[in-house]
Amino acid sequence: MNKSRITVYLKSGNTCQISSKNTVESAREGLTLEKIKQGVTLKDDKTHTVIPFESIDFVFIEKMEG
């Protein structure tokens, strides 16, 4: 069961989104500013996306119900 959804909003206006089995708190710990400066990697069973820091507008993490 997925526990959080991470959405990365890009300066281009596009978004990248992934559901995670991590809790919101765990996802926030993994996305500190120092780590985001190295880029954000979103991956699941089907995709692996690396987003460079310069392209990121902001990151939104939300709790999923269930």
Side-chain angles (χ1 to χ4, degrees):
M1 176 60 70
N2 295 323
K3 294 185 179 181
S4 62
R5 179 177 297 131
I6 301 168
T7 305
V8 179
Y9 291 86
L10 307 177
K11 291 179 181 176
S12 66
N14 294 325
T15 61
C16 294
Q17 187 176 77
I18 193 166
S19 297
S20 174
K21 294 180 181 178
N22 295 330
T23 63
V24 171
E25 294 77 15
S26 177
R28 285 185 182 145
E29 288 174 10
L31 290 171
T32 63
L33 182 56
E34 288 302 313
K35 291 180 182 178
I36 289 175
K37 285 183 178 180
Q38 298 172 13
V40 173
T41 300
L42 299 177
K43 63 182 178 177
D44 61 15
D45 296 338
K46 298 178 185 177
T47 61
H48 184 157
T49 305
V50 179
I51 306 165
F53 176 72
E54 297 80 17
S55 299
I56 299 170
D57 192 17
F58 66 95
V59 178
F60 183 71
I61 304 168
E62 63 184 311
K63 182 178 180 180
M64 296 180 65
E65 298 299 321

